[in-house]
Amino acid sequence: MNRHIGFLVYPGFELLDLSGPLEAFSNANHLSSADYQLTTVSLDGGMVRSACGLCVYTEPLRVVDFDTFFVVGAPELPEGEWAAVLARAIGKVSLHVRRTASVSTGAFLLAASGLLDGRTATTHWHYATQLQACYPAVRVDGDRTWSEDGGIWTSAGMAAGIDMSLAMIEQDMGREMALSVARMLVVYYWRPRGQDQFSSLLDFDPGSDRIRSTLSFAREHLRENLSVERLAEVANLSVRQFGRAFASSTGVTPARAVERMRVEAARPQVEDGRQTFEEIARLNGFIDAGRMCQSFRRVAGRTPQELRRSARHGESLRRVL
């Protein structure tokens, strides 16, 4: 199998968006005979400065025999003529590869190239709403750490690029190899593509007074039944209208938003350790401790038990020091 992987960067790119996937595939080479050939490219080649100031050497972008082509993200969204030129180049390269992928805001360049039209895509939670507004033909799912649709792979911010790379390694070489790479990188392997990005909805600016008011209502009534029907009533919209408006404004479904708010509210209580999990679940609107545990896995990536143990360990260290 051709295992040549290209990583496209441009001035101001996010270093971890590049180095995370690079290290995943590089470790696969060290652990086996994977023979991934890794090439970092830019439009014109040469040294390219990242957002943190570190420069990397790149080869000029050419339509070569890549198997997989990564487009990394940046803290600043790609805009202007240079971004349009880059998007056109990405479109041409993608015609000759098995997999095209983006990390974080790299999804904006894939969208500008037309590759995401009619597909489900993911980006960093902070930009999900903007991606949907700029490219209505894309089905943006702001909940996922990564997604794959018809050979086009997209991932959320930074470390999610490693999750996506592990999934590609599993596709190429099997689960055991992906697990071995995860162990070498000291990262979780079990995180599924559908796991929520752990982000605060308090930072969301929906841009709609109705949705903003509905979010405020939900935060103040977490113990109560917050079905989509009830939230639609608060927003004075039909259920269908509300679901569409909410997803368009926040990048997540109402159910996912409520689940995330409940996890965020419950987490300090979990780490504090003075209440049982059943009590915390009841106080924050979960059906029971088991359901709360499932939600924590999806949203925070860790169970309440793991978070409580970590908090206790940290407190023990503080006492020693």
Side-chain angles (χ1 to χ4, degrees):
M1 177 186 291
N2 168 26
R3 299 191 190 277
H4 193 180
I5 303 179
F7 297 87
L8 177 64
V9 301
Y10 42 88
F13 72 94
E14 188 73 61
L15 187 61
L16 186 56
D17 289 359
L18 170 67
S19 61
L22 264 174
E23 284 299 320
F25 291 106
S26 178
N27 272 270
N29 283 340
H30 292 313
L31 292 169
S32 71
S33 57
D35 197 27
Y36 285 113
Q37 180 184 349
L38 310 173
T39 304
T40 305
V41 301
S42 63
L43 269 180
D44 301 316
M47 301 300 291
V48 179
R49 184 181 295 275
S50 68
C52 70
L54 182 69
C55 295
V56 300
Y57 177 77
T58 66
E59 299 286 346
L61 176 61
R62 300 286 185 269
V63 179
V64 298
D65 192 21
F66 288 125
D67 169 72
T68 303
F69 189 64
F70 271 78
V71 179
V72 306
E76 301 293 331
L77 294 181
E79 296 177 326
E81 181 56 30
W82 71 269
V85 172
L86 204 56
R88 289 194 292 270
I90 291 167
K92 291 179 182 178
V93 172
S94 70
L95 297 174
H96 305 275
V97 303
R98 178 167 62 104
R99 297 180 297 215
T100 302
S102 67
V103 183
S104 189
T105 57
F108 282 79
L109 288 168
L110 294 194
S113 74
L115 287 172
L116 298 183
D117 287 356
R119 301 183 191 273
T120 297
T122 303
T123 189
H124 190 287
W125 64 267
H126 185 71
Y127 300 101
T129 301
Q130 192 167 350
L131 180 63
Q132 186 66 82
C134 292
Y135 300 98
V138 183
R139 296 191 296 269
V140 179
D141 188 338
D143 270 347
R144 299 186 178 192
T145 51
W146 62 272
S147 63
E148 186 273 331
D149 191 339
I152 308 297
W153 299 59
T154 53
S155 68
M158 299 189 178
I162 298 176
D163 294 318
M164 182 173 66
S165 299
L166 290 171
M168 290 181 177
I169 291 169
E170 179 177 352
Q171 185 182 74
D172 294 344
M173 305 187 66
R175 183 179 183 278
E176 288 304 314
M177 176 52 58
L179 181 59
S180 295
V181 173
R183 286 172 177 158
M184 289 297 294
L185 295 175
V186 197
V187 297
Y188 286 109
Y189 170 65
W190 54 264
R191 295 207 302 172
R193 76 172 77 183
Q195 179 185 307
D196 287 354
Q197 300 180 44
F198 187 54
S199 58
S200 176
L201 279 171
L202 293 173
D203 295 331
F204 273 47
D205 182 7
S208 164
D209 289 340
R210 287 188 179 187
I211 302 304
R212 190 178 295 111
S213 297
T214 305
L215 283 171
S216 297
F217 174 87
R219 291 189 194 102
E220 295 166 3
H221 298 81
L222 288 178
R223 297 187 187 187
E224 303 173 17
N225 172 31
L226 293 175
S227 65
V228 67
E229 289 80 10
R230 187 179 184 191
L231 294 178
E233 185 178 347
V234 171
N236 197 25
L237 293 170
S238 71
V239 171
R240 178 174 293 183
Q241 288 174 323
F242 173 70
R244 290 176 178 173
F246 193 95
S248 176
S249 295
T250 67
V252 298
T253 64
R256 287 299 189 205
V258 170
E259 180 181 50
R260 190 177 298 174
M261 284 189 283
R262 283 175 169 154
V263 168
E264 290 180 359
R267 183 167 183 166
Q269 299 163 4
V270 165
E271 293 175 337
D272 179 68
R274 287 182 288 185
Q275 295 169 294
T276 68
F277 292 140
E278 286 292 347
E279 290 172 333
I280 296 170
R282 185 173 62 253
L283 288 171
N284 292 281
F286 294 103
I287 295 175
D288 53 36
R291 295 292 182 89
M292 183 175 75
C293 181
Q294 293 171 8
S295 292
F296 265 76
R297 277 190 177 274
R298 279 191 294 268
V299 177
R302 303 173 72 184
T303 65
Q305 292 86 345
E306 290 170 333
L307 288 170
R308 180 163 286 184
R309 282 196 298 269
S310 294
R312 286 174 176 169
H313 179 64
E315 179 62 28
S316 297
L317 286 177
R318 284 191 292 272
R319 288 174 181 171
V320 171
L321 298 173

